[in-house]
């Protein structure tokens, strides 16, 4: 009935997630509240891990792209599910290490890692640093030389693949701030330089073509381009890159209009391409990584709010104001992302009332969704915004000094707090008196 399998309606007409009544959760923990269904997360991790067994004889590893939602409990789940981890900052690395995540299975990304972040990663014995540019390559080599270390690296390549998605979340084309371009010869020159350096060891190439992608074809094309490049490297230098990281980007369902392909279909099509290209170029089949973020946590999560003011402007629209907003979900303001909104305490009724959901921040653009149909709400009702597990908490801010909501993990009818609600004291804990 609602977008994702973990959602249902109970006898009271209340929306449930993971067998828990959302109205009860809102009462118990207060709102705004992020809720995640643990089983959905674990099952998705398992599906990816199994897919590697089926299509690569187990010679590959899915890395959870923790920028989608980074906290200790999520790192612990990823660890238990035998995933690797992708981090993009010292903070995400610190979170992973604090959760006891095995460092050798962590990849460190980013187009402008700082000197301190690089030192932190090297000192932590991190599995791989994904080098984005020549400045970084040279800085990293000199850091490792000083520490008398050899760091395994990957290099981020722009395969020149155009994925049909929003321009802010599209990254594989030549005009992107991420990585080395193939077309200009920049990538091969950088690879040749990396091979010569003494304190880095190039074992892997990486690409990531974008996010929320539904087509299989751009992933296949990217894999082929990357395999061809590994072939070129071998032909020009004799050097064999043995690992290939194909990034994340698998689409999820935000509304009933979205129709993502089963992840195993991508895996199968890409595996066929990788195997065929390995044979064509006389290369060993590389160890393959993927980096799903959104697809691990996105559909597993919802956000609960309490309805405050309902303001009807005759012949214009009805604004329904909630107790959160762009501070906990900036995606509509940033990319006009579509969401499904449900009046959670009246989830058994037909949604037939068109509203615009407004946040409480001091910005006219602070909207969660425009012209969406829900059951007519009154102040005090509980609203649920669906598929908010990815890029909501992780992009949240304290704009207007609004404390960040807590995260509750639900599982077969039980609930557990995994991130506490911020308090007003938390908000001023770094403030110093004049
Ligand atoms: C954002 C990102 C991911 C995750 O993308 P999703 O669309 O969330 O799967 C993976 N790898 C890299 C390098 C990224 O920047």
């Amino acid at each position: 009935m609602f977008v994702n399998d973990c959602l249902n309606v109970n006898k009271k007409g209340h929306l449930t997630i993971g067998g828990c009544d959302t109205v009860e959760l809102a009462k118990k923990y207060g709102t705004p509240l992020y809720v995640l269904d643990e089983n959905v997360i674990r099952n998705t991790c398992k599906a990816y891990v199994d897919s590697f067994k089926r299509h690569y004889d187990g010679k590959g590893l899915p890395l959870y792209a923790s920028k989608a939602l980074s906290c200790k409990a999520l790192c612990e789940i990823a660890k238990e599910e035998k995933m690797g981890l992708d981090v993009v900052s010292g903070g995400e690395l610190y979170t992973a290490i604090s959760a006891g995540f095995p460092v050798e299975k962590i990849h460190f990304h980013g187009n402008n890692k700082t000197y301190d972040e690089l030192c932190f990663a090297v000192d932590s014995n991190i599995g791989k640093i994904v080098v984005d540019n020549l400045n970084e390559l040279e800085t990293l080599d000199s850091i490792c030389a000083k520490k008398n270390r050899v760091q395994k690296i990957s290099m981020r390549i722009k395969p020149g693949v155009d994925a049909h998605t929003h321009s802010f979340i599209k990254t594989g084309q030549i005009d992107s701030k991420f990585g080395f371009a193939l077309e200009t010869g920049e990538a091969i020159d950088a690879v040749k330089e990396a091979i010569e350096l003494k304190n880095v060891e190039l074992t892997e190439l990486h690409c990531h073509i974008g996010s929320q992608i539904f087509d299989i074809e751009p992933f296949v094309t990217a894999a082929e381009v990357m395999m061809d490049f590994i072939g070129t490297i071998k032909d020009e230098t004799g050097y064999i890159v043995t690992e290939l990281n194909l990034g994340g980007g698998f689409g999820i369902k935000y509304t009933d209009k979205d129709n993502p392909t089963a992840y195993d279909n991508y895996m199968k099509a890409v595996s066929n391409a990788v195997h065929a290209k390995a044979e064509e170029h006389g290369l060993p089949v590389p160890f393959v990584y993927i980096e799903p973020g959104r697809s691990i946590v996105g559909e597993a999560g919802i956000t609960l709010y309490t309805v405050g003011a309902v303001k009807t402007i005759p012949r214009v629209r009805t604004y329904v104001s909630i107790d959160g907003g762009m501070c906990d979900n900036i995606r509509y303001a940033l990319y006009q992302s579509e969401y499904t909104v449900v009046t959670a305490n009246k989830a058994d009724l037909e949604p037939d009332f068109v509203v615009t959901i407004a946040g409480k921040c001091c910005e006219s653009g602070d909207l969660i969704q425009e012209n969406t149909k829900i059951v007519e709400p009154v102040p005090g009702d509980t609203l649920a915004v669906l598929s908010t597990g990815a890029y909501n908490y992780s992009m949240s801010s304290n704009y207007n000094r609004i404390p960040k909501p807590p995260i509750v993990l639900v599982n077969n009818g039980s609930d557990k707090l995994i991130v506490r609600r911020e308090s007003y004291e938390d908000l001023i804990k770094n403030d110093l008196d004049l």
Side-chain angles (χ1 to χ4, degrees):
M1 168 174 195
F2 293 108
V3 185
N4 319 318
D5 295 340
C6 59
L7 304 173
N8 223 318
V9 180
N10 64 15
K11 288 199 193 84
K12 294 180 186 158
H14 295 176
L15 180 73
T16 65
I17 176 167
C20 293
D21 185 320
T22 55
V23 179
E24 296 299 323
L25 290 173
K27 250 186 230 144
K28 178 168 174 183
Y29 294 101
T31 55
L33 177 67
Y34 296 113
V35 187
L36 290 170
D37 186 329
E38 184 174 359
N39 281 326
V40 175
I41 298 170
R42 289 190 186 271
N43 290 340
T44 313
C45 291
K46 286 188 174 76
Y48 280 122
V49 171
D50 285 350
S51 222
F52 274 103
K53 290 186 190 136
R54 246 192 315 282
H55 303 299
Y56 293 95
D57 280 331
K59 294 189 187 84
L61 184 69
L63 313 173
Y64 168 51
S66 68
K67 72 171 190 239
L69 199 177
S70 172
C71 64
K72 283 168 65 179
L74 259 286
C75 292
E76 288 167 40
I77 290 176
K79 171 182 157 189
E80 286 175 13
E81 295 302 331
K82 312 236 170 346
M83 304 272 290
L85 204 74
D86 144 3
V87 301
V88 296
S89 71
E92 286 184 4
L93 178 57
Y94 185 83
T95 305
I97 290 171
S98 308
F101 201 91
V103 282
E104 69 281 2
K105 286 163 83 177
I106 303 179
H107 280 52
F108 189 8
H109 281 282
N111 67 304
N112 193 24
K113 304 170 196 77
T114 65
Y115 189 88
D116 288 349
E117 284 177 322
L118 289 171
C119 291
F120 178 30
V122 171
D123 290 339
S124 305
N125 298 315
I126 195 171
K128 216 157 280 157
I129 295 179
V130 185
V131 173
D132 178 273
N133 56 73
L134 282 182
N135 298 119
E136 183 178 298
L137 180 65
E138 288 155 15
T139 305
L140 179 61
D141 187 65
S142 76
I143 288 173
C144 292
K146 270 187 225 143
K147 296 179 187 291
N148 205 8
R149 290 276 306 278
V150 177
Q151 172 66 50
K152 278 197 179 155
I153 62 164
S154 178
M155 293 176 87
R156 179 157 185 167
I157 307 298
K158 290 184 254 197
V161 173
D162 191 7
H164 305 282
T165 188
H166 193 288
S167 66
F168 289 5
I169 51 178
K170 195 163 78 175
T171 53
Q173 74 285 10
I174 189 164
D175 183 11
S176 163
K177 71 170 182 172
F178 297 106
F180 299 96
L182 274 182
E183 296 99 309
T184 57
E186 182 193 17
I188 187 77
D189 290 348
V191 164
K192 285 176 181 167
E193 181 170 338
I195 293 170
E196 294 303 315
L197 292 175
K198 297 278 177 296
N199 294 87
V200 294
E201 182 191 355
L202 175 68
T203 63
E204 176 194 308
L205 291 182
H206 170 273
C207 70
H208 170 75
I209 57 175
S211 200
Q212 186 61 0
I213 301 167
F214 289 112
D215 301 337
I216 290 184
E217 168 234 313
F219 289 107
V220 170
T221 309
E224 289 174 345
V225 169
M226 295 298 286
M227 286 300 292
D228 285 341
F229 185 48
I230 293 177
T232 304
I233 294 168
K234 181 187 145 206
D235 293 345
E236 290 196 17
T237 68
Y239 192 87
I240 302 210
V241 172
T242 55
E243 301 178 295
L244 176 60
N245 185 334
L246 294 167
F250 310 109
I252 67 161
K253 215 168 158 171
Y254 285 99
T255 73
D256 283 325
K257 282 182 276 176
D258 296 328
N259 189 17
T261 312
Y263 302 130
D264 199 59
N265 294 344
Y266 294 107
M267 296 289 288
K268 186 173 177 194
V270 170
S271 162
N272 287 342
V274 168
H275 282 84
K277 282 287 179 187
E279 194 165 327
E280 180 187 328
H281 294 294
L283 289 166
V285 175
F287 188 92
V288 170
Y289 298 95
I290 57 167
E291 300 170 325
R294 186 189 310 274
S295 56
I296 300 281
V297 286
E299 290 187 20
I302 64 172
T303 310
L304 300 176
Y305 302 99
T306 301
V307 173
V310 178
K311 188 176 289 181
T312 298
I313 307 172
R315 292 176 303 283
V316 180
R317 62 167 111 202
T318 298
Y319 283 102
V320 173
S321 292
I322 52 171
D323 51 358
M326 66 193 296
C327 42
D328 58 73
N329 182 356
I330 200 174
R331 293 189 65 257
Y332 187 79
L334 202 53
Y335 328 110
Q336 299 77 52
S337 310
E338 290 198 74
Y339 280 107
T340 306
V341 186
V342 177
T343 309
N345 53 319
K346 301 168 182 168
D348 54 339
L349 305 179
E350 188 61 31
D352 58 358
F353 192 70
V354 177
V355 298
T356 287
I357 313 290
K360 61 178 279 156
C361 298
C362 293
E363 289 284 331
S364 295
D366 172 26
L367 304 175
I368 297 292
Q369 205 59 201
E370 287 180 272
N371 303 320
T372 188
K373 257 191 202 162
I374 62 173
V375 177
E376 184 169 359
V378 295
D381 279 351
T382 305
L383 278 197
V385 181
L386 311 186
S387 297
T388 58
Y391 305 113
N392 273 238
Y393 174 74
S394 65
M395 286 184 161
S396 64
S397 74
N398 289 124
Y399 182 48
N400 292 167
R401 289 241 141 169
I402 295 171
K404 291 185 187 178
I407 307 179
V408 168
L409 197 64
V410 294
N411 186 340
N412 288 325
S414 63
D415 54 271
K416 184 177 198 294
L417 189 66
I418 58 166
V419 175
R420 267 197 299 265
R421 184 181 299 282
E422 274 186 337
S423 64
Y424 289 147
E425 299 85 83
D426 290 332
L427 291 176
I428 60 160
K429 73 173 184 285
N430 296 318
D431 291 9
L432 302 173
D433 286 319
L434 193 61

